[in-house]
Amino acid sequence: MTFWFLLLLGLATYLMVQRSVANITQTPVWLLWLVLMTPALLLSGWTLMYGVKQPPPPSLIIWPSLICLLLYWLLFQWGRRIPKDTQTEPQSPESQSAIHPIAEPVPVRPIEPTEETQLRNCFSWSVYYIQNIEYRPQAVICRGHLRTTPAKAYQQIKTNIEAEFGDRFLVIFQEGLNGKPFFVLVPNTQAAKAENSSKPEKLTRPVLALSLLVATLLTTTLVGAKTAGVDPTTLQSDPTVFLKGLPYALGLMTILGIHELGHYLTAKFYKIRSTLPYFIPMPFFLGTFGAFIQMRSPIPNRKALFDVSIAGPIAGFIATLPLLIWGLANSEVVPLTEKTGLLNPDALNPKYSILLALLSKLALGSQLTAKSAIDLHPIAVAGFLGLIVTALNLMPVGQLDGGHIVHAMFGQRTAIVIGQISRLLLLLLSLVQPEFFVWAIILLFIPLIDEPALNDVTELNNGRDILGLVAMALLVMIVLPLPQAIARLLQI
């Protein structure tokens, strides 16, 4: 299990480094990857030498992590590429790395000097008084003073620019570092592609989605059979025992599928071009590496960004609750031992999570005491993993769902600060609950900057702000351990 976990972690880390920093530093990706993997390799070596019963000393966790973080930053800065004349160029929504593929260069006619008058005429002094226009290789930046509400200004300027230039440009409205909003015109590569191509882009691939669904059902059923206590050697003599893994498989895939459908249907509501949900099969560990959708068009505003981002975690959590409560009610209560932990389904200590403890007490009642752990039913394992998936997605960092949510609520600048604080808090929490350590390290290297919506200035209404705060409260209830005062009150 240690080998497969290391392999999975190493692959995920390599892909993360390659995707996030390979284009902005000349330092070899393999070297950055090796630095990131060093703490995990050291801990794995300790486990192989001394076994899981002897915990590693804190110095083996803290010092290698700090040294590797510093070394990673130095290596990254040493090879960093600074493109000429583009240091202040805004990022285009077309380059959203988590949900938007990087668009291929497509020839787009830039604004000519004779067209500058037309561009200036698009900015009415009573809506947005323009002061200067800056020309970048892939953007035209228009700075000035906002004279009306952000929503009205964006809609009016966008309408004027489309009337003058058609669909040549995407109009982005961002907040500058000085707090003043500015407009950015970037080439509309999708429109240029459609004009230059005789065949429309094929967005949905139902055969691929169905094939991955079936493959993931098989791999999760295999893992579910092992979770149910089936000996792999008996599968050859009696293949029907394979079906014992179906409760786990169907439960987990239902949660993941509903989570992605939440994103997909909300994106469709806002007319954002998106693919079908794709599952990622994996024949070990959990049986799947999750599911994802890709969105192929920019998000129009912060309201749409919030709704699309929060729809997945809410839908997944709603699907998780009944499955988890039913699974807990059909689980067995076992004595609390040294092997009890957060990731041990045979002896799970529910007090590692506030929400899990409350749901466990609701489902098991007086059977659950202060000296009890839970041997999870396969459906409860799937529900518990649903809680973990919800928590990981709600982390308010970068391009995770939680990062999009705080970006939509507070704006890009405040979201970066929240993301940095959240990463450090999770790292501190991992000292108390070591199961979070690997995820805390991964979060440290997820970029904090989220891609802007087209209208990234207009704020949300109070209802969405409250819903976002509820989502963050849900995250806290999942990841924080049960306080001793509440444990005594619940008698667990």
Side-chain angles (χ1 to χ4, degrees):
M1 180 61 72
T2 302
F3 169 76
W4 290 114
F5 178 75
L6 259 184
L7 179 64
L8 176 62
L9 178 63
L11 178 62
T13 304
Y14 185 85
L15 292 175
M16 178 190 69
V17 173
Q18 186 180 47
R19 188 179 183 90
S20 59
V21 302
N23 294 327
I24 54 178
T25 183
Q26 295 178 343
T27 305
V29 172
W30 66 266
L31 183 58
L32 294 173
W33 171 83
L34 184 61
V35 171
L36 287 183
M37 287 296 296
T38 298
L41 293 172
L42 290 175
L43 292 177
S44 300
W46 176 276
T47 302
L48 290 175
M49 291 176 61
Y50 300 102
V52 296
K53 292 185 178 180
Q54 185 172 349
S59 59
L60 189 64
I61 299 176
I62 297 173
W63 286 111
S65 300
L66 294 176
I67 293 172
C68 288
L69 284 174
L70 178 61
L71 183 59
Y72 177 91
W73 183 81
L74 290 174
L75 289 172
F76 172 79
Q77 293 294 335
W78 172 68
R80 189 168 187 178
R81 299 171 180 168
I82 304 178
K84 296 180 180 180
D85 300 327
T86 59
Q87 297 178 31
T88 60
E89 180 179 335
Q91 295 177 323
S92 164
E94 292 291 321
S95 65
Q96 295 189 19
S97 58
I99 55 178
H100 299 281
I102 297 178
E104 298 178 0
V106 177
V108 178
R109 183 166 61 91
I111 286 193
E112 300 172 358
T114 55
E115 295 178 308
E116 182 172 323
T117 302
Q118 294 174 258
L119 178 60
R120 288 185 177 274
N121 290 337
C122 294
F123 293 86
S124 171
W125 69 270
S126 61
V127 176
Y128 187 86
Y129 177 70
I130 193 166
Q131 290 181 307
N132 67 299
I133 299 175
E134 302 173 18
Y135 294 95
R136 304 291 180 183
Q138 288 297 322
V140 179
I141 306 174
C142 305
R143 302 184 187 276
H145 290 288
L146 183 65
R147 301 282 192 173
T148 184
T149 62
K152 182 179 178 181
Y154 177 78
Q155 189 57 47
Q156 184 63 55
I157 300 302
K158 179 174 179 289
T159 300
N160 294 345
I161 289 175
E162 288 176 348
E164 289 288 347
F165 301 101
D167 58 0
R168 280 172 50 194
F169 300 102
L170 291 174
V171 182
I172 306 173
F173 196 28
Q174 289 184 253
E175 189 175 88
L177 296 177
N178 58 0
K180 294 182 179 181
F182 61 94
F183 283 87
V184 183
L185 276 64
V186 296
N188 188 347
T189 54
Q190 287 185 354
K193 272 181 164 182
E195 185 178 342
N196 296 334
S197 176
S198 57
K199 294 182 180 180
E201 181 186 6
K202 189 175 181 180
L203 194 61
T204 59
R205 299 180 179 178
V207 175
L208 175 62
L210 182 60
S211 300
L212 290 174
L213 177 68
V214 173
T216 306
L217 180 60
L218 292 175
T219 56
T220 51
T221 303
L222 177 63
V223 172
K226 295 178 182 178
T227 303
V230 174
D231 188 351
T233 59
T234 63
L235 288 175
Q236 295 180 352
S237 58
D238 185 12
T240 58
V241 299
F242 181 73
L243 299 178
K244 291 186 177 180
L246 274 178
Y248 166 84
L250 293 177
L252 181 58
M253 291 186 66
T254 296
I255 293 169
L256 295 176
I258 290 178
H259 178 110
E260 294 305 325
L261 278 175
H263 290 312
Y264 177 78
L265 294 176
T266 310
K268 286 294 182 184
F269 175 79
Y270 282 103
K271 298 180 180 179
I272 300 171
R273 301 171 71 247
S274 57
T275 66
L276 292 171
Y278 296 121
F279 283 86
I280 306 175
M282 185 171 58
F284 51 88
F285 196 42
L286 304 178
T288 178
F289 203 50
F292 69 96
I293 66 170
Q294 289 182 315
M295 287 187 274
R296 301 291 181 83
S297 59
I299 296 177
N301 48 53
R302 280 162 60 172
K303 173 185 171 183
L305 175 65
F306 179 88
D307 290 352
V308 171
S309 302
I310 204 169
I314 287 180
F317 180 68
I318 291 174
T320 295
L321 273 182
L323 292 174
L324 180 57
I325 293 173
W326 186 93
L328 288 171
N330 288 272
S331 299
E332 294 183 12
V333 176
V334 297
L336 204 61
T337 65
E338 293 182 356
K339 295 183 178 180
T340 302
L342 180 63
L343 299 179
N344 183 2
D346 297 325
L348 174 69
N349 186 349
K351 289 184 286 186
Y352 279 111
S353 164
I354 297 174
L355 183 60
L356 181 63
L358 294 175
L359 294 176
S360 299
K361 189 64 177 179
L362 174 66
L364 295 169
S366 59
Q367 297 180 59
L368 193 65
T369 65
K371 298 182 178 180
S372 299
I374 306 173
D375 183 2
L376 294 178
H377 185 278
I379 292 290
V381 175
F384 176 61
L385 292 176
L387 279 188
I388 294 178
V389 168
T390 300
L392 296 184
N393 277 281
L394 284 177
M395 290 290 175
V397 177
Q399 294 188 350
L400 297 175
D401 289 339
H404 293 317
I405 290 170
V406 295
H407 171 191
M409 292 172 63
F410 304 110
Q412 181 76 278
R413 291 183 300 166
T414 305
I416 291 174
V417 176
I418 293 174
Q420 185 72 298
I421 294 173
S422 300
R423 296 196 303 188
L424 295 176
L425 288 177
L426 187 64
L427 186 60
L428 292 175
L429 180 62
S430 68
L431 300 179
V432 179
Q433 296 189 175
E435 292 86 355
F436 289 124
F437 180 73
V438 172
W439 183 246
I441 293 299
I442 292 175
L443 283 188
L444 287 175
F445 299 99
I446 293 179
L448 289 173
I449 298 178
D450 187 21
E451 298 294 339
L454 293 181
N455 177 3
D456 208 49
V457 178
T458 302
E459 298 180 352
L460 303 180
N461 55 29
N462 291 336
R464 285 181 171 83
D465 284 335
I466 293 173
L467 182 58
L469 294 176
V470 169
M472 294 301 105
L474 175 62
L475 168 64
V476 170
M477 290 187 66
I478 294 174
V479 300
L480 287 188
L482 185 70
Q484 192 60 37
I486 301 178
R488 286 195 296 265
L489 184 64
L490 297 176
Q491 298 181 348
I492 59 175

